[in-house]
Amino acid sequence: MKRREFIALLGGAAAWPLAARAQQPKIATVGILVAGNTSPEAFLQGFRAALAAAGLIEGQNVQHVTSDIPIVMAPAGDPVATGLISSLARPGGNITESNQAAAALKLMERWIEQGQHLAAIARHLRLTKGASADLMRKAGQKALDAKDVIAVIEGIAAIVANKAFDLVDPVVMPGLRLLTEQNDTRWVSAIWFMPELGEFLTHLSESQSEIVLENLVLCARIDHDEEHILTAIAGSYPRSVWHFFKARLDRAATKERDEEHYEDIPFQLHELVQPLSRDPSFAVDAVRSWYAADQSLFQYRGGKLLHNVFPGFSSALGAKLVAIVQECTDAAINFVLTILQTYQGQPALHDVCKEVVDKLPENDSRLNEIEVILESTGIISGQFGFVEAYQRKKNEVSPWLSDPRPKVRAFAERYQRTLDRSIAAEQRRSETDYELRRREWPEEE
């Protein structure tokens, strides 16, 4: 049989109807090679729609003759379950299976040498258990030489799937560097879900992990896929991940106009909280090193990241902030106030706030910032919601009145008077609003 008379299906691939030889000069010949677990029905629906959009209609100017063309399938997957053949013993139709692995390897080696079908070969190696490491290396290096980013991504996926750790330095790291040069992060969506990825990432050295992180800095946002990869790296090298977020902040500060949708710090973290919160002292020191007094948005960037890692304001975080306040410098206190502003005034903040109050001189304007931090209520509901919230705030600060430090007691007295005024004002406003609504929409008797 001549090579042009059959379609070779590389591991796990499937050929579906519409592969054809021209019967007449005006009849189009269409060959299809589908790799992976694509649904035949979904594929055909989309494929026929695309053909129709191009003016090609099956049965008119495209001939349906798959039953006449021999199709050879390499051993892979379950061809019976996918409906390709009726049984392994008697395939039937025009699809058969070949166990000529040596011939297939020889053909792929020739294609690799010629720089042909690199992405398809890498895809085959990805789906083939125990794939040849030598073939993965050759295909990967050829893809690198050709700067074929799709083949590079498929090659990295093949190496991950086969846990070919010896190929990290010669193929994966150069591949990631190439993708970074090309501003390409598509490997994330191609690989993040692979069950072998976690083990693969834990085998990386710190310097290798940083090459991965350098590419992830380019991602427009940190969603579930990216966080999954970051969590695996943070398990071994949490400090590298903190530096990664600083690189994202720097990129956001200098982003081009076409990067206006770049989100440096995620709105919320999930998996990453556990590995990044192990060392509160380093976390605070890292974020503090990014702080500058003239950065008005720091609260929503560096401060937000620290809040995301410690959403419940742990006691260890509080102890670290108290230690910073005790430095008694304006820069130290200003940094701590910026961090406290990202929380909702919960009682866990009180020890730090009392330390700040005790260190500030009387009549310092930053005492007003402490009041604002403590008054923060979050979402309020109900007709008298603010009245209840301010009363709760007053009760929470009552223990301050017996604190041994005079400045703390004096602050608490002033703050409670402020809360009393707020409670009275909100009570009057709520009652007035209620009376106006009652008059405008009287209740039925």
Side-chain angles (χ1 to χ4, degrees):
M1 181 188 303
K2 296 180 181 179
R3 182 162 63 90
R4 65 186 178 186
E5 291 178 331
F6 68 84
I7 299 175
L9 296 179
L10 301 176
W16 296 102
L18 293 179
R21 269 190 276 177
Q23 302 298 312
Q24 302 175 16
K26 294 184 179 180
I27 298 296
T29 301
V30 181
I32 311 169
L33 181 65
V34 183
N37 297 320
T38 303
S39 164
E41 294 78 11
F43 171 79
L44 281 176
Q45 183 179 5
F47 185 73
R48 285 180 172 130
L51 284 178
L56 299 174
I57 301 175
E58 185 180 351
Q60 296 183 18
N61 52 1
V62 176
Q63 196 66 31
H64 182 176
V65 292
T66 318
S67 60
D68 298 330
I69 296 178
I71 299 176
V72 180
M73 179 178 66
D78 187 347
V80 177
T82 57
L84 288 173
I85 60 177
S86 56
S87 74
L88 292 175
R90 297 179 180 276
N94 61 321
I95 299 178
T96 188
E97 182 177 87
S98 171
N99 60 3
Q100 299 179 17
L105 287 173
K106 185 176 180 180
L107 179 60
M108 284 189 286
E109 285 179 349
R110 185 167 78 246
W111 282 342
I112 291 172
E113 185 178 345
Q114 296 170 349
Q116 297 179 328
H117 315 301
L118 296 176
I121 292 170
R123 176 73 171 177
H124 164 68
L125 296 173
R126 171 182 179 175
L127 298 173
T128 303
K129 295 298 182 182
S132 166
D134 184 60
L135 211 58
M136 285 188 283
R137 178 182 58 79
K138 290 178 180 178
Q141 291 178 340
K142 200 71 175 182
L144 288 168
D145 293 341
K147 294 188 175 182
D148 184 339
V149 295
I150 300 301
V152 166
I153 292 172
E154 289 291 354
I156 293 174
I159 292 171
V160 171
N162 286 278
K163 302 179 183 179
F165 304 124
D166 290 342
L167 298 181
V168 171
D169 276 329
V171 179
V172 177
M173 294 298 110
L176 288 171
R177 288 191 182 98
L178 173 63
L179 294 173
T180 300
E181 291 172 4
Q182 301 291 329
N183 199 30
D184 196 323
T185 62
R186 286 177 291 176
W187 69 275
V188 175
S189 58
I191 294 177
W192 76 268
F193 56 87
M194 295 173 63
E196 305 86 357
L197 181 59
E199 182 180 354
F200 181 83
L201 290 170
T202 58
H203 274 77
L204 298 182
S205 67
E206 187 170 10
S207 60
Q208 291 169 339
S209 297
E210 288 172 354
I211 292 174
V212 176
L213 296 173
E214 183 180 359
N215 182 270
L216 294 179
V217 169
L218 304 175
C219 293
R221 54 186 295 146
I222 302 300
D223 285 323
H224 173 272
D225 303 1
E226 293 80 7
E227 187 176 351
H228 185 69
I229 296 173
L230 289 169
T231 300
I233 295 175
S236 300
Y237 310 110
R239 297 189 176 198
S240 294
V241 177
W242 280 105
H243 296 321
F244 155 80
F245 279 114
K246 175 58 165 63
R248 289 187 64 84
L249 289 170
D250 291 342
R251 182 176 178 84
T254 59
K255 64 186 178 183
E256 301 295 333
R257 182 172 299 177
D258 59 350
E259 295 179 301
E260 58 185 14
H261 298 299
Y262 186 83
E263 183 184 80
D264 46 10
I265 302 300
F267 176 75
Q268 188 176 13
L269 294 177
H270 302 280
E271 295 179 81
L272 262 177
V273 169
Q274 196 273 335
L276 290 187
S277 62
R278 288 177 189 162
D279 189 346
S281 182
F282 177 83
V284 173
D285 287 340
V287 173
R288 188 182 180 187
S289 70
W290 310 343
Y291 175 75
D294 60 348
Q295 292 180 347
S296 59
L297 296 179
F298 181 83
Q299 173 185 346
Y300 306 101
R301 292 179 174 168
K304 177 183 177 182
L305 177 61
L306 198 63
H307 174 274
N308 288 351
V309 174
F310 300 94
F313 199 85
S314 69
S315 58
L317 175 62
K320 176 63 177 179
L321 295 180
V322 166
I324 293 176
V325 173
Q326 290 172 346
E327 296 174 13
C328 296
T329 65
D330 286 341
I333 292 175
N334 290 340
F335 167 74
V336 170
L337 288 175
T338 301
I339 300 304
L340 295 179
Q341 287 166 5
T342 66
Y343 290 88
Q344 295 294 330
Q346 57 256 50
L349 308 181
H350 283 208
D351 286 344
V352 183
C353 290
K354 285 189 285 187
E355 196 68 30
V356 174
V357 168
D358 188 54
K359 295 297 183 289
L360 289 178
E362 293 182 6
N363 301 320
D364 190 297
S365 61
R366 286 171 292 182
L367 291 172
N368 295 329
E369 292 184 40
I370 293 293
E371 287 197 14
V372 171
I373 290 167
L374 293 173
E375 279 188 19
S376 180
T377 60
I379 298 174
I380 294 296
S381 61
Q383 181 177 335
F384 294 92
F386 277 104
V387 173
E388 296 168 356
Y390 289 142
Q391 185 61 57
R392 185 175 66 253
K393 293 291 182 180
K394 181 179 178 181
N395 295 337
E396 289 172 353
V397 82
S398 292
W400 292 38
L401 297 173
S402 58
D403 192 278
R405 292 164 290 190
K407 289 183 180 179
V408 174
R409 295 197 302 272
F411 173 89
E413 291 171 357
R414 291 195 304 271
Y415 177 52
Q416 284 200 334
R417 288 196 294 270
T418 299
L419 288 172
D420 283 338
R421 290 193 292 270
S422 297
I423 291 170
E426 285 297 325
Q427 182 75 31
R428 289 193 299 272
R429 184 191 63 78
S430 298
E431 290 174 350
T432 300
D433 288 347
Y434 172 76
E435 182 63 24
L436 290 174
R437 288 195 303 272
R438 190 184 69 80
R439 293 183 181 184
E440 188 169 355
W441 295 289
E443 298 178 0
E444 294 184 1
E445 296 295 338

